Amino acid sequence: MSTTAAAIKAAPKVGLVSLGCPKALVDSEQIVTQLKAEGYEISPDYAGADVVVVNTCGFLDSARAESLEAIGEALAENGKVIVTGCLGATPDLIMDKYPSVLAVTGPHRYEQVMTAVHKVVAPRHDPFLHLVPPAGVKLTPRHYAYLKISEGCNHRCSFCIIPQLRGDLVSRPVDEVLREAENLVKAGVRELLVISQDTSAYGVDVRHAAAPWRGRDRRAHMTDLAASLGELGAWVRLHYVYPYPHVDDVIPLMAEGKILPYLDIPFQHSAPKVLKAMRRPANQEKVLHRLAAWRRDVPDIAIRSTFIVGFPGETDEDFEHLLGWLKEARLDRVGCFRYEPVDGAPANALDGAVPEAVKDERWNRLMAVQQEISAQKLDEKVGRVMDVIVDEIDAEEGAICRSYADAPEIDGNVIIEAPGRLRPGQMVKVRIDAAGDYDLWGIPVEG
Ligand code: SF4
């Protein structure tokens, strides 16, 4: 056994359970990067770990329950548990239920997590810094990475407790974000997924302060950031964009091919009364006009959104308004949630709770309407040639790929049934020859 192998074998091991949204995943990646930098190994199971870090999600009650369950499981299997993440913002809740938890930290408290880990198992004296790839360690496949540009949120949507948990918007310096993106691309990442609670608000808190990158000043502003990221030669996908007017300014970047023609805008509803109760901007008529203008400039633009049905006070009429709006908007990808009260959210005080059975019925009807729209839109793609990125090779299905219109995990796929020598991370041109409700099938064509 070489010295290096012996040393690796002796390295202290940390287990990591990562729950929640892509934003929490970014936190987990940073914890892993730090652990690796200090010479820790990541244990694939509870039994082999010296301590387990549980990165929790506290957004919905169901996510909180899942997080508490994960803490209980880690305690039962290992006994030494550190809790971080959104649920960690309410330590009493955790300590009341699990007094033996070693430490609780809120989201993005990497240093506190590391301090807690050090107390249980000391770091190696000779850290294997060279084991950390230049861009850090990613839990996502190597060819795509989430790029978190800010924390917190200045909005106060009535169903949401993120601002209570994470505070007001704090933007990362633009040069730091761009350097991280550059390193990721150098390390082989071919797709950058820009995330935050509200990507369009990026830089508002720092008055869009500029900083130099590649010899030129760049502003901390969504448009400038998107344009700068577009210089890196990777796919750039914008998530969680709030429908501010300046979102119009990124459309030309899509028309020029600098960033992907893809926008993830959580509209949540269309009925003015419901939007008002949600404390969201209530002018979906205007949004329809903007969608039309975006499509005029970028006919292929893919719009993803999420909606909530069964919000307190949502009447049949409000729901019909939403279905009608969806039929006009013809969005490409839609996620739908049944409203769920979240502990501490102002919406809990609203009258007009919608019975669960009605929520279910509305959810089913919305999904049926959207399924038809999605199938029609995908059908229109048959015969076209598209660039896709290979995510994985599945022994039965073939190459599971995505086009510009598909974000990982949440959207559909493009499937190549006979993948030949294709490898994950490869970009390939595909002629689409069949469409389903959410996925496409195609065959590679010469570039
Ligand atoms: S925009 Fe609304 S839903 Fe999103 S994090 Fe901010 S308050 Fe929550």
Side-chain angles (χ1 to χ4, degrees):
M1 191 183 289
S2 72
T3 322
T4 308
I8 289 172
K9 197 159 184 287
K13 292 195 178 74
V14 180
L16 182 73
V17 181
S18 187
L19 300 158
C21 59
K23 285 159 256 184
L25 193 61
V26 175
D27 286 351
S28 293
E29 285 166 356
Q30 294 192 351
I31 293 168
V32 171
T33 302
Q34 194 55 39
L35 286 167
K36 288 259 185 179
E38 294 189 10
Y40 290 92
E41 257 196 73
I42 305 304
S43 170
D45 50 36
Y46 291 122
D50 296 300
V51 59
V52 177
V53 177
V54 182
N55 186 7
T56 57
C57 178
F59 184 42
L60 292 174
D61 282 354
S62 52
R64 291 157 93 95
E66 193 194 351
S67 295
L68 284 171
E69 204 176 299
I71 297 166
E73 189 183 307
L75 276 174
E77 298 282 330
N78 183 283
K80 293 196 199 115
V81 174
I82 295 163
V83 177
T84 184
C86 278
L87 194 63
T90 49
D92 293 350
L93 183 86
I94 298 162
M95 296 312 287
D96 283 353
K97 193 162 164 78
Y98 300 116
S100 59
V101 162
L102 298 174
V104 179
T105 87
H108 334 304
R109 299 282 179 263
Y110 320 117
E111 326 73 41
Q112 291 175 14
V113 172
M114 293 310 295
T115 308
V117 169
H118 294 161
K119 279 193 191 150
V120 185
V121 50
R124 295 175 44 78
H125 292 301
D126 176 20
F128 281 85
L129 287 170
H130 60 277
L131 289 181
V132 185
V137 177
K138 290 183 299 304
L139 301 179
T140 41
R142 192 172 176 71
H143 56 275
Y144 66 83
Y146 295 96
L147 186 66
K148 187 151 71 174
I149 59 171
S150 60
E151 300 292 357
C153 181
N154 288 345
H155 298 290
R156 294 293 181 265
C157 302
S158 60
F159 53 82
C160 177
I161 55 165
I162 297 264
Q164 292 170 39
L165 292 177
R166 302 197 161 194
D168 282 341
L169 177 79
V170 179
S171 300
R172 292 178 62 198
V174 65
D175 51 334
E176 184 186 302
V177 173
L178 289 169
R179 271 199 307 275
E180 181 180 328
E182 199 169 19
N183 280 341
L184 286 165
V185 174
K186 271 188 208 148
V189 163
R190 308 197 72 181
E191 176 175 358
L192 295 163
L193 302 120
V194 177
I195 59 164
S196 65
Q197 305 298 342
D198 174 7
T199 294
S200 33
Y202 176 59
V204 165
D205 55 316
V206 292
R207 298 175 184 226
H208 304 299
W213 180 69
R214 290 189 167 179
R216 201 155 53 76
D217 266 2
R218 319 283 172 143
R219 284 188 319 149
H221 185 284
M222 178 176 75
T223 316
D224 295 30
L225 178 72
S228 301
L229 290 173
E231 292 174 27
L232 291 170
W235 280 6
V236 176
R237 195 183 289 284
L238 300 181
H239 282 287
Y240 314 120
V241 173
Y242 205 80
Y244 290 116
H246 72 262
V247 173
D248 294 358
D249 299 340
V250 293
I251 305 299
L253 296 172
M254 296 178 182
E256 290 164 28
K258 300 251 171 65
I259 64 171
L260 290 179
Y262 180 99
L263 270 181
D264 175 3
I265 309 182
F267 290 119
Q268 310 299 14
H269 213 282
S270 70
K273 193 182 95 227
V274 179
L275 284 166
K276 199 156 170 253
M278 289 177 166
R279 299 190 198 152
R280 309 258 317 165
N283 198 343
Q284 298 310 71
E285 263 319 296
K286 211 164 155 200
V287 168
L288 287 177
H289 290 136
R290 289 175 72 198
L291 287 176
W294 296 345
R295 287 177 174 141
R296 202 173 46 236
D297 293 344
V298 183
D300 281 344
I301 190 169
I303 313 278
R304 143 167 279 273
S305 192
T306 48
F307 294 88
I308 298 174
V309 293
F311 191 76
E314 184 195 57
T315 60
D316 285 342
E317 205 186 351
D318 296 326
F319 179 67
E320 294 302 332
H321 188 283
L322 174 55
L323 289 188
W325 189 88
L326 276 175
K327 285 178 194 164
E328 269 199 68
R330 299 192 81 238
L331 304 179
D332 298 77
R333 307 288 188 185
V334 164
C336 182
F337 299 95
R338 300 163 181 84
Y339 171 75
E340 218 184 279
V342 177
D343 244 2
N348 300 355
L350 294 174
D351 292 333
V354 175
E356 292 304 315
V358 177
K359 285 185 199 167
D360 283 348
E361 191 222 313
R362 289 179 184 169
W363 187 89
N364 283 317
R365 284 184 60 203
L366 188 149
M367 291 314 277
V369 164
Q370 183 55 36
Q371 186 172 332
E372 205 177 310
I373 295 169
S374 169
Q376 280 169 6
K377 293 201 95 163
L378 290 181
D379 211 39
E380 288 162 15
K381 296 200 163 120
V382 173
R384 285 179 44 182
V385 172
M386 300 177 88
D387 290 316
V388 300
I389 189 163
V390 182
D391 271 349
E392 57 171 298
I393 306 295
D394 181 272
E396 283 173 16
E397 285 193 75
I400 314 291
C401 315
R402 289 178 296 105
S403 74
Y404 75 93
D406 315 308
E409 312 290 343
I410 50 176
D411 293 331
N413 287 111
V414 180
I415 296 156
I416 302 173
E417 285 178 333
R421 289 165 183 263
L422 291 178
R423 293 179 320 277
Q426 208 175 330
M427 299 262 190
V428 56
K429 277 198 189 311
V430 163
R431 183 179 306 283
I432 304 300
D433 61 0
D437 288 341
Y438 301 108
D439 296 321
L440 293 168
W441 282 260
I443 43 172
V445 292
E446 291 300 316

Short mmCIF file of all heavy atoms in Angstrom, two decimals, residues 153 155-157 159-160 162-163 197 242 280, ligand 1:
data_model
loop_
_atom_site.label_atom_id
_atom_site.label_comp_id
_atom_site.label_asym_id
_atom_site.label_seq_id
_atom_site.Cartn_x
_atom_site.Cartn_y
_atom_site.Cartn_z
N CYS A 153 -34.04 36.88 0.82
CA CYS A 153 -35.04 37.41 -0.11
C CYS A 153 -35.70 38.64 0.49
O CYS A 153 -36.00 38.67 1.68
CB CYS A 153 -36.09 36.33 -0.38
SG CYS A 153 -37.34 36.84 -1.53
N HIS A 155 -38.60 39.81 -0.67
CA HIS A 155 -40.07 39.72 -0.79
C HIS A 155 -40.65 39.13 0.49
O HIS A 155 -39.92 38.59 1.32
CB HIS A 155 -40.45 38.84 -1.99
CG HIS A 155 -39.95 39.40 -3.28
ND1 HIS A 155 -40.47 40.54 -3.84
CD2 HIS A 155 -38.96 38.99 -4.10
CE1 HIS A 155 -39.82 40.80 -4.96
NE2 HIS A 155 -38.89 39.89 -5.14
N ARG A 156 -41.95 39.22 0.58
CA ARG A 156 -42.62 38.68 1.76
C ARG A 156 -43.87 37.93 1.34
O ARG A 156 -44.97 38.24 1.78
CB ARG A 156 -42.98 39.83 2.74
CG ARG A 156 -41.76 40.54 3.34
CD ARG A 156 -40.96 39.64 4.28
NE ARG A 156 -39.81 40.32 4.88
CZ ARG A 156 -38.57 40.26 4.39
NH1 ARG A 156 -38.31 39.57 3.28
NH2 ARG A 156 -37.59 40.89 5.00
N CYS A 157 -43.69 36.96 0.44
CA CYS A 157 -44.85 36.18 -0.01
C CYS A 157 -45.48 35.53 1.22
O CYS A 157 -44.77 34.99 2.08
CB CYS A 157 -44.42 35.11 -1.01
SG CYS A 157 -43.57 35.82 -2.44
N PHE A 159 -47.09 32.90 1.88
CA PHE A 159 -47.04 31.45 2.15
C PHE A 159 -45.64 30.98 2.52
O PHE A 159 -45.42 29.80 2.74
CB PHE A 159 -47.53 30.67 0.92
CG PHE A 159 -46.82 31.05 -0.35
CD1 PHE A 159 -45.59 30.52 -0.66
CD2 PHE A 159 -47.39 31.97 -1.22
CE1 PHE A 159 -44.93 30.89 -1.82
CE2 PHE A 159 -46.74 32.34 -2.39
CZ PHE A 159 -45.50 31.81 -2.68
N CYS A 160 -44.68 31.90 2.57
CA CYS A 160 -43.28 31.51 2.60
C CYS A 160 -42.58 32.01 3.87
O CYS A 160 -42.81 33.13 4.31
CB CYS A 160 -42.59 32.09 1.37
SG CYS A 160 -40.83 31.78 1.30
N ILE A 162 -39.12 31.66 4.05
CA ILE A 162 -37.68 31.77 3.70
C ILE A 162 -37.07 33.07 4.23
O ILE A 162 -36.00 33.05 4.82
CB ILE A 162 -37.48 31.65 2.17
CG1 ILE A 162 -37.93 30.28 1.69
CG2 ILE A 162 -36.04 31.98 1.76
CD1 ILE A 162 -36.90 29.22 1.54
N PRO A 163 -37.74 34.24 4.04
CA PRO A 163 -37.11 35.46 4.57
C PRO A 163 -36.92 35.41 6.08
O PRO A 163 -35.94 35.95 6.59
CB PRO A 163 -38.10 36.57 4.17
CG PRO A 163 -38.85 36.01 3.00
CD PRO A 163 -38.96 34.54 3.27
N GLN A 197 -32.83 32.84 -4.21
CA GLN A 197 -34.28 32.89 -3.94
C GLN A 197 -34.96 33.76 -4.99
O GLN A 197 -36.11 33.56 -5.32
CB GLN A 197 -34.58 33.47 -2.55
CG GLN A 197 -33.89 32.77 -1.40
CD GLN A 197 -34.31 31.34 -1.27
OE1 GLN A 197 -35.34 30.92 -1.79
NE2 GLN A 197 -33.52 30.55 -0.58
N TYR A 242 -37.92 36.46 -10.71
CA TYR A 242 -39.16 37.13 -10.32
C TYR A 242 -39.54 38.04 -11.49
O TYR A 242 -38.64 38.65 -12.09
CB TYR A 242 -38.84 37.95 -9.07
CG TYR A 242 -39.99 38.26 -8.16
CD1 TYR A 242 -40.46 37.32 -7.24
CD2 TYR A 242 -40.57 39.52 -8.18
CE1 TYR A 242 -41.48 37.65 -6.36
CE2 TYR A 242 -41.61 39.84 -7.30
CZ TYR A 242 -42.05 38.89 -6.40
OH TYR A 242 -43.05 39.21 -5.53
N ARG A 280 -47.99 38.78 -3.95
CA ARG A 280 -47.17 38.71 -5.16
C ARG A 280 -47.69 39.76 -6.14
O ARG A 280 -48.84 40.17 -6.03
CB ARG A 280 -47.28 37.32 -5.82
CG ARG A 280 -47.05 36.15 -4.90
CD ARG A 280 -45.74 35.50 -5.00
NE ARG A 280 -45.25 35.29 -6.33
CZ ARG A 280 -43.96 34.99 -6.59
NH1 ARG A 280 -43.10 34.89 -5.60
NH2 ARG A 280 -43.54 34.79 -7.81
S1 SF4 B 1 -39.88 35.35 -3.57
FE1 SF4 B 1 -41.52 34.84 -2.11
S2 SF4 B 1 -41.61 32.60 -2.22
FE2 SF4 B 1 -39.61 33.18 -3.05
S3 SF4 B 1 -38.22 33.11 -1.27
FE3 SF4 B 1 -38.96 35.24 -1.48
S4 SF4 B 1 -40.70 35.33 -0.08
FE4 SF4 B 1 -40.31 33.17 -0.45
#
